[in-house]
Amino acid sequence: MDVAAGAVRPLVSKLYEVIKDEYGLEEKVKKSVRSLQGELEMMHGVLVKVASVPHDEVDEQVRTWAGMVRELSYDMEDAVDAFLVRVEGSAGPEDNRVKRFLNKTAGLFRKSKDLHQITRAIEQANELSNQYAELRQKYHLDDIGRSSRASDTIDPRLLDLYKEATELVGIENPRDELIQKLMHGIEDCNQRLRSISIVGIGGLGKTTLARAVYDNIKAQFRSKAFVSVGQEPDIRNIFKKILHELDEQKYANINEAKRDEEQLINELRRFLKDTRYLIVVDDVWETKTWKFINCAFVDSNCGSRVITTTRKNTVAEVVVKEVGDIYTMEPLSSANSERLFYGRIFGDVCKAPTDYQLIEATEKILKKCGGVPLSIITIASLLADKSIRDWSSVYDSIGFGPTDKNEVVENTRKILSFSYYDLPSYLKPCLLYLSIYPEDHWIQNNSLIWKWVAEGFVHKEPGKALFEVGESYLIELIRKSMIQPAESYGSFLTWYRIHDMVLDLIRILATKENFVKILDREAEEHSLSSHSSTVRRIALHKRGNQEENDNLSAGMKQLRSLNAIQSPISTMPSLVSFQVLRVLALEDCDIKGGLQLKHIGKLRQLRYLGLRGTKVSELPSDIVELVDLQTLDVLETGLKEVPRSIGKLSKLMYLRVSQSTRILTGFGNLRSLQVLSIYWDSIDNYENFAVEVGKLTELRSLTVDGNAHEVDDNTYKCLMESLCSLHKIQNLAIFGSGRDLSDWEGWDHWEPHRKLSEFFMSYTEFPRLPAWVNSTCVPYLSELTIDVSTVEAKDLDALARLPLLSLLRLNVRHRFPWAVAGGGGLFQNLRFLNTNMPLAFLRGATPKLKDVELYPHVSQDGDASDIGLGSLPLLKTVEVALDCEAATPAQVEEAEAAWRHTVHAHPNRPVLYLRREGENLMKEDSDPDEEEISDTDEVDGNDDDEISAQEVMHLHIRRVDLGLPQASITDLLISAMNTAADIYQEDEKGDDLK
């Protein structure tokens, strides 16, 4: 029903285009179009109502009727699109009058033919719609409410709304228990390889637990890797993933290597020999799969560890056959289930309802969830949009089975199914579209949303770009817990994954609705009956059947979407075979003989062309014929250049190219462009680029990556001026390669878009923080990377008050100590911090900070105990680059020891990455006979040298518990000087110091 409704909606809007006077349709034909529109709108209303009813509860006749309406809509939309493309297609400039006359005459004949074809199509569609209208009158359907729309603002706090199963509650004890089992005896003489297998049903949080253990202990292993296997594994690809994770530099091009399983096993064994390693093999389904993978793990008595997760006890028993333990994943307790449930709905268990009937409804729901976190989170997300009074009716509607060990999985599936049918009709096709991705695939948000746009799933809303509407759809699916955001460096909402139980559900539904045909090993298992043999969408996966790949063109003239992901394709059919194709996405595919895009200009309805990671020899010049093309992604394709004619693609909105791909002058004509991602090395002419970028007034996202050393300062400043004219920019990332803008005030005059969310200017030094960096001008700013000459206390306060700031990279040339205060809503969402400023985190500071990268100076910035890492309750990783200039080796070693001690003392056991910088600028250790001056000597007044203000500051922070939540730097310095004077009060120099 939902797919049928989704097919009708875009057709209704397109029919308005057809009846325009400029197309020359007869009045009788226009009348037929209006009649068809009216009937389709009524059909759409019925379909939207029925779409909220589970598939197996709908009468078979209704399903048959919906299938016929769906196919009618698809066929009619294809005819309308073909007509609009032909009559609106722009003819190229001609050199003389004779050619222009001949083309104009030929155009009249073509137009006459096109009018005849569209007229016939409308007449046939009207006849069918009248027949379907008679059938529709036989059905009477109750009005079914729709869920309210969620907020469409991009908010990094979404990461707090959906967390992996048990991350919220109940993970601490099993994590610590597993760590104890794994690490016990690791330093003994007998250091044999030891394995632990975590076993339990789907949705219990096995992967989350394994990840928590892995993150906690990986720093104690020289080599480590975390890989997922899945139900239909590609063994060679798994071995390649392990090698790449073990050493990203050495195996950077491992995917291009032509190696069989035996060669990869031998390579892994050579790498792992005589090294202590930690490897997690997640989601193993079969014993034979494990036996293959286990061949690569060598035991050199180094204390190595292997963790697996599986749903099957038989697999777990094989994993730990020699040395190891099976850990059976237990469901959440009643108390933890309640904490997770109320926490997801209300944000605080204390806000749980007190009414007896509501408590009783909650108990019934949680009992049926069986302590499975996936079930609890999903149903909580479902109930969050409903009145508390409706909870019991939702429970009754799902139709749970009896609660016993064998029914928990079935109840989870029913919860997921009910959550799907509760979605608004416009979201269901978007969710079903995710079935094109393989299991455990990381989905990139840009490509997904632009595919939705190309397919017609995203509908126009006043004042919004289509991509922004698509983003709001994605956010709704996250809020409904149907998609999981993948957190990276704190808050990047750019990657997503879908739980395998949800994927299994939507694959079944997509097959029932004839929405997608998936060509992989499981295609036959999911091959359920549908009401049409016409294939509209195909997904090829890495386990695809080669024979089916070779016959793609057979009977596929109505194919709308071809998605191939990591798939070997022996023969690519001629593109002429796909006349109505809207999406062509060949991602990381191995096409024998290379991909030839000959005749691509024939795909006149193509909107999305994605070739990322697939080798392409060239883009033909007839790409200019793709008048409706919206997305062109040729990243990592080996393409030498983008044709100059690309400037004629007036509807192109997304363009991304590789570093090795030249983009020629002329892209300034792409006035519809919203996203541009290129490299400095790709730009043919820097001066023209600096000017033409300013013409792209619709740009929302601009990334210029790579090295800008060859760009002169005047051209770079010209580029900055052009960027200041882009008032719709929401994501801006420019690599500047050592630019000094200290004498340029242009940025203070820029009026950024209110929804600016990312500002990245690396290696471009501003004189100070731009005036617009404040919560009033850019309240949605979530990621800021900037280099400045100097900052003031008011600048730091402005940063702290940005409500959504989650990632901050701040490099300051003239550093001074910064006490990061807490409370008052300061840095309430900061998750990642990278700075070279000496820090002191006070109590309550940055409550969500997880990852910090610091650049302390060994001889100037004190030691690790000054930082106050204990004030960061969620700390996970600490990266420290020690500046060794002018420090002695002894001081450096002492500083490293202090950092290790401080980080390891943190209750979260964060991972520490410690490295040295400027080792060649170190000075030699002092003479051992020379008396060293310690902090104690200074306090006792034994040092006659003058003490710097910075040293006094560090002394103060070490010795005094500062309770100054909003203190300015001046207040802190005065307080420090007063304290230092008190310490020296018995010394005759005390008054001078004060």
Side-chain angles (χ1 to χ4, degrees):
M1 301 300 157
D2 36 75
V3 174
V8 172
R9 183 171 177 175
L11 173 59
V12 172
S13 61
K14 286 180 180 179
L15 288 174
Y16 284 103
E17 292 291 315
V18 173
I19 57 178
K20 286 182 178 179
D21 292 335
E22 60 192 86
Y23 296 131
L25 289 175
E26 295 181 3
E27 193 58 41
K28 182 176 70 171
V29 178
K30 291 183 180 180
K31 185 177 180 181
S32 296
V33 172
R34 295 188 185 98
S35 174
L36 179 60
Q37 276 180 310
E39 193 56 53
L40 286 171
E41 286 175 347
M42 296 185 70
M43 290 177 180
H44 181 262
V46 173
L47 288 166
V48 168
K49 294 176 184 177
V50 184
S52 298
V53 181
H55 189 275
D56 54 2
E57 296 179 21
V58 178
D59 186 88
E60 180 63 28
Q61 291 177 312
V62 179
R63 289 203 293 266
T64 302
W65 173 77
M68 292 188 295
V69 173
R70 176 191 65 216
E71 297 305 315
L72 166 65
S73 301
Y74 279 147
D75 290 339
M76 190 63 214
E77 187 184 12
D78 289 343
V80 169
D81 283 344
F83 171 72
L84 292 176
V85 165
R86 285 196 296 266
V87 298
E88 291 181 348
S90 57
E94 301 298 341
D95 297 333
N96 56 61
R97 295 181 182 180
V98 176
K99 283 188 177 181
R100 285 199 295 272
F101 173 77
L102 293 175
N103 279 329
K104 186 175 182 179
T105 306
L108 293 174
F109 284 108
R110 284 197 301 270
K111 186 174 182 180
S112 176
K113 182 180 178 181
D114 294 336
L115 287 172
H116 178 71
Q117 289 179 346
I118 194 65
T119 300
R120 282 288 306 275
I122 291 170
E123 291 174 351
Q124 292 174 359
N126 251 323
E127 292 176 9
L128 289 173
S129 68
N130 290 332
Q131 296 176 24
Y132 300 162
E134 295 176 5
L135 291 173
R136 178 177 54 79
Q137 293 173 3
K138 296 181 181 180
Y139 308 110
H140 177 71
L141 301 168
D142 295 329
D143 188 23
I144 301 176
R146 294 172 54 188
S147 300
S148 60
R149 286 292 303 273
S151 170
D152 58 2
T153 299
I154 298 297
D155 188 343
R157 285 172 290 189
L158 281 173
L159 288 162
D160 297 327
L161 294 180
Y162 193 112
K163 296 189 177 182
E164 278 274 8
T166 56
E167 185 179 342
L168 294 175
V169 296
I171 197 174
E172 298 84 1
N173 290 336
R175 179 199 64 193
D176 293 343
E177 183 181 345
L178 281 177
I179 289 173
Q180 185 177 10
K181 287 178 178 291
L182 282 166
M183 305 308 289
H184 178 69
I186 198 168
E187 300 299 340
D188 294 345
C189 295
N190 181 7
Q191 296 182 327
R192 290 195 61 188
L193 172 66
R194 188 176 183 84
S195 301
I196 279 187
S197 186
I198 305 171
V199 63
I201 62 173
L204 276 181
K206 299 183 297 297
T207 300
T208 304
L209 177 58
R211 173 64 73 176
V213 173
Y214 175 81
D215 287 341
N216 213 280
I217 64 175
K218 64 183 180 182
Q220 301 180 51
F221 295 83
R222 184 176 178 183
S223 303
K224 48 260 184 187
F226 192 116
V227 294
S228 293
V229 175
Q231 206 165 357
E232 287 297 324
D234 182 332
I235 298 296
R236 276 185 293 181
N237 195 44
I238 291 169
F239 287 147
K240 289 179 179 181
K241 284 182 178 179
I242 295 174
L243 285 167
H244 185 262
E245 286 218 18
L246 290 172
D247 192 329
E248 292 184 6
Q249 292 184 344
K250 182 176 181 180
Y251 298 108
N253 300 316
I254 188 66
N255 288 326
E256 300 175 9
K258 304 294 184 182
R259 302 184 189 180
D260 59 24
E261 287 89 345
E262 183 178 358
Q263 291 172 317
L264 290 167
I265 288 173
N266 290 335
E267 180 67 24
L268 265 168
R269 290 181 69 86
R270 282 192 294 270
F271 186 96
L272 297 176
K273 186 179 179 182
D274 300 326
T275 185
R276 176 183 289 181
Y277 59 86
L278 171 66
I279 296 178
V280 177
V281 185
D282 181 45
D283 199 20
V284 184
W285 281 72
E286 301 296 338
T287 56
K288 63 179 182 180
T289 302
W290 168 251
K291 289 178 180 178
F292 264 116
I293 296 173
N294 192 42
C295 291
F297 298 152
V298 60
D299 185 2
S300 301
N301 286 322
C302 296
S304 298
R305 298 292 186 260
V306 172
I307 304 172
T308 66
T309 71
T310 181
R311 301 185 186 191
K312 298 182 179 181
N313 275 296
T314 53
V315 174
E317 290 168 358
V318 173
V319 170
V320 302
K321 187 175 181 180
E322 295 183 7
V323 180
D325 295 285
I326 293 177
Y327 183 86
T328 302
M329 193 80 181
E330 297 292 339
L332 294 180
S333 65
S334 298
N336 281 335
S337 295
E338 188 174 282
R339 284 177 59 201
L340 182 58
F341 180 75
Y342 287 135
R344 179 62 183 88
I345 295 179
F346 302 112
D348 187 349
V349 71
C350 297
K351 295 182 180 178
T354 56
D355 183 273
Y356 173 76
Q357 291 182 331
L358 299 180
I359 293 175
E360 185 179 30
T362 301
E363 290 176 350
K364 289 167 62 179
I365 289 171
L366 293 181
K367 184 178 180 180
K368 292 300 182 182
C369 289
V372 176
L374 177 64
S375 298
I376 296 169
I377 286 177
T378 305
I379 199 166
S381 301
L382 173 67
L383 296 175
D385 288 331
K386 302 186 182 303
S387 167
I388 296 178
R389 301 292 171 182
D390 294 333
W391 287 11
S392 293
S393 61
V394 170
Y395 173 86
D396 295 334
S397 300
I398 292 177
F400 288 111
T403 303
D404 56 42
K405 188 172 183 180
N406 297 325
E407 292 295 333
V408 172
V409 174
E410 184 60 30
N411 285 341
T412 299
R413 186 174 290 117
K414 286 183 179 179
I415 290 171
L416 295 175
S417 177
F418 193 87
S419 297
Y420 167 79
Y421 287 111
D422 189 66
L423 292 174
S425 60
Y426 56 85
L427 284 185
K428 291 175 184 173
C430 296
L431 181 61
L432 290 184
Y433 199 75
L434 291 169
S435 62
I436 68 172
Y437 294 102
E439 186 180 5
D440 295 320
H441 189 77
W442 285 55
I443 303 165
Q444 208 268 339
N445 69 335
N446 271 330
S447 63
L448 174 63
I449 294 173
W450 285 113
K451 286 176 184 177
W452 284 350
V453 170
E455 291 273 7
F457 301 153
V458 179
H459 310 297
K460 292 181 179 179
E461 293 184 9
K464 288 185 179 180
L466 282 173
F467 186 87
E468 290 178 300
V469 179
E471 282 181 315
S472 72
Y473 289 5
L474 189 62
I475 290 172
E476 285 188 77
L477 289 173
I478 295 171
R479 292 183 185 276
K480 300 289 186 180
S481 297
M482 304 305 285
I483 299 178
Q484 303 174 17
E487 184 174 355
S488 175
Y489 285 123
S491 67
F492 293 149
L493 288 175
T494 54
W495 294 94
Y496 303 85
R497 66 180 297 272
I498 184 166
H499 195 282
D500 51 2
M501 293 187 72
V502 179
L503 180 61
D504 182 66
L505 171 69
I506 64 174
R507 280 193 177 184
I508 293 172
L509 293 172
T511 304
K512 285 181 178 178
E513 297 274 13
N514 193 34
F515 186 76
V516 176
K517 182 175 181 179
I518 301 169
L519 298 184
D520 66 359
R521 250 186 183 175
E522 294 190 306
E524 294 183 3
E525 295 180 24
H526 291 286
S527 182
L528 306 176
S529 59
S530 62
H531 300 289
S532 172
S533 59
T534 303
V535 178
R536 304 287 181 178
R537 298 176 185 89
I538 280 182
L540 290 174
H541 295 168
K542 56 192 174 186
R543 299 296 291 176
N545 185 297
Q546 289 292 287
E547 293 182 2
E548 290 183 80
N549 291 353
D550 293 342
N551 295 315
L552 281 177
S553 58
M556 306 249 177
K557 292 183 178 180
Q558 293 164 303
L559 192 68
R560 289 174 158 234
S561 173
L562 174 58
N563 283 274
I565 299 173
Q566 298 174 342
S567 178
I569 301 176
S570 58
T571 304
M572 187 69 193
S574 171
L575 297 179
V576 181
S577 308
F578 309 121
Q579 290 297 308
V580 298
L581 199 67
R582 287 160 170 76
V583 174
L584 177 59
L586 306 174
E587 300 172 9
D588 297 310
C589 291
D590 179 15
I591 301 176
K592 293 184 178 179
L595 177 62
Q596 303 298 323
L597 295 176
K598 188 177 180 181
H599 305 306
I600 194 171
K602 302 292 184 182
L603 306 182
R604 301 296 297 278
Q605 297 185 38
L606 195 67
R607 292 162 171 76
Y608 183 101
L609 179 57
L611 306 172
R612 182 182 303 185
T614 299
K615 299 302 178 185
V616 182
S617 55
E618 65 174 351
L619 286 180
S621 58
D622 67 344
I623 193 173
V624 71
E625 299 295 327
L626 304 178
V627 293
D628 282 334
L629 191 66
Q630 299 167 334
T631 299
L632 177 59
D633 188 347
V634 289
L635 188 68
E636 299 173 0
T637 58
L639 188 68
K640 292 183 179 179
E641 70 177 28
V642 176
R644 193 182 300 273
S645 58
I646 193 177
K648 297 180 181 179
L649 297 177
S650 60
K651 295 183 180 180
L652 193 67
M653 292 187 279
Y654 180 101
L655 175 62
R656 188 170 188 182
V657 301
S658 298
Q659 187 170 4
S660 58
T661 304
R662 301 289 286 178
I663 181 167
L664 306 176
T665 304
F667 70 89
N669 295 323
L670 300 173
R671 301 302 172 88
S672 298
L673 205 62
Q674 297 180 23
V675 179
L676 175 61
S677 178
I678 61 175
Y679 285 80
W680 286 108
D681 291 345
S682 303
I683 300 170
D684 185 54
N685 185 303
Y686 293 129
E687 293 183 8
N688 287 339
F689 170 75
V691 174
E692 291 191 337
V693 145
K695 301 176 183 178
L696 305 177
T697 55
E698 295 298 313
L699 268 185
R700 293 182 308 100
S701 177
L702 173 63
T703 301
V704 186
D705 207 337
N707 206 323
H709 284 308
E710 296 182 9
V711 184
D712 62 65
D713 288 344
N714 289 333
T715 301
Y716 194 80
K717 288 183 180 180
C718 177
L719 173 63
M720 297 296 107
E721 293 284 359
S722 292
L723 294 180
C724 287
S725 67
L726 304 180
H727 299 298
K728 293 186 178 182
I729 282 286
Q730 296 180 29
N731 299 279
L732 181 61
I734 306 289
F735 288 78
S737 295
R739 302 292 164 181
D740 183 2
L741 298 180
S742 57
D743 61 342
W744 189 66
E745 303 292 335
W747 280 113
D748 281 338
H749 304 295
W750 184 41
E751 296 180 9
H753 193 284
R754 183 172 171 79
K755 287 191 175 182
L756 181 73
S757 62
E758 178 187 0
F759 185 86
F760 180 106
M761 284 284 177
S762 181
Y763 303 109
T764 297
E765 185 175 296
F766 294 87
R768 61 183 180 278
L769 200 69
W772 49 262
V773 180
N774 60 71
S775 58
T776 302
C777 294
V778 285
Y780 299 101
L781 188 65
S782 62
E783 299 171 19
L784 175 63
T785 298
I786 192 167
D787 298 347
V788 295
S789 176
T790 185
V791 293
E792 300 177 13
K794 63 179 182 179
D795 299 324
L796 302 177
D797 186 66
L799 288 173
R801 296 184 185 280
L802 289 170
L804 300 183
L805 187 66
S806 57
L807 181 150
L808 174 62
R809 294 188 183 95
L810 178 64
N811 184 68
V812 183
R813 188 201 304 176
H814 302 296
R815 309 182 311 153
F816 64 85
W818 178 17
V820 185
L826 302 180
F827 287 120
Q828 58 184 351
N829 275 298
L830 192 66
R831 289 168 165 84
F832 176 90
L833 174 63
N834 174 307
T835 185
N836 67 332
M837 294 182 65
L839 293 178
F841 294 103
L842 304 184
R843 284 195 299 268
T846 58
K848 295 183 180 180
L849 189 62
K850 294 183 178 181
D851 306 291
V852 294
E853 293 182 4
L854 306 172
Y855 300 82
H857 196 291
V858 173
S859 60
Q860 297 178 11
D861 294 340
D863 60 37
S865 62
D866 298 344
I867 305 299
L869 295 181
S871 301
L872 308 177
L874 301 182
L875 190 64
K876 290 176 61 178
T877 65
V878 180
E879 185 169 339
V880 179
L882 289 172
D883 186 350
C884 304
E885 183 178 356
T888 67
Q891 288 177 316
V892 173
E893 291 174 6
E894 183 180 352
E896 290 176 336
W899 276 105
R900 292 190 185 96
H901 174 76
T902 300
V903 172
H904 293 160
H906 194 285
N908 290 357
R909 301 177 186 169
V911 177
L912 173 64
Y913 299 97
L914 192 61
R915 71 177 188 272
R916 299 180 181 183
E917 291 190 353
E919 280 190 277
N920 59 321
L921 301 176
M922 293 169 58
K923 66 180 182 181
E924 295 181 359
D925 282 323
S926 58
D927 190 325
D929 294 332
E930 183 179 340
E931 183 179 1
E932 294 185 5
I933 301 174
S934 65
D935 286 343
T936 304
D937 296 329
E938 293 176 13
V939 173
D940 292 339
N942 295 328
D943 181 18
D944 291 335
D945 293 337
E946 184 176 338
I947 300 174
S948 71
Q950 189 176 50
E951 289 171 327
V952 173
M953 172 69 78
H954 283 294
L955 183 64
H956 175 69
I957 292 173
R958 282 200 298 271
R959 295 180 178 275
V960 182
D961 181 16
L962 290 179
L964 304 173
Q966 304 270 351
S968 69
I969 294 301
T970 304
D971 293 335
L972 283 169
L973 186 58
I974 292 172
S975 175
M977 299 294 276
N978 286 332
T979 302
D982 292 339
I983 293 171
Y984 279 79
Q985 62 184 344
E986 296 181 0
D987 189 278
E988 60 183 3
K989 297 182 180 178
D991 290 336
D992 294 335
L993 177 63
K994 189 171 182 179

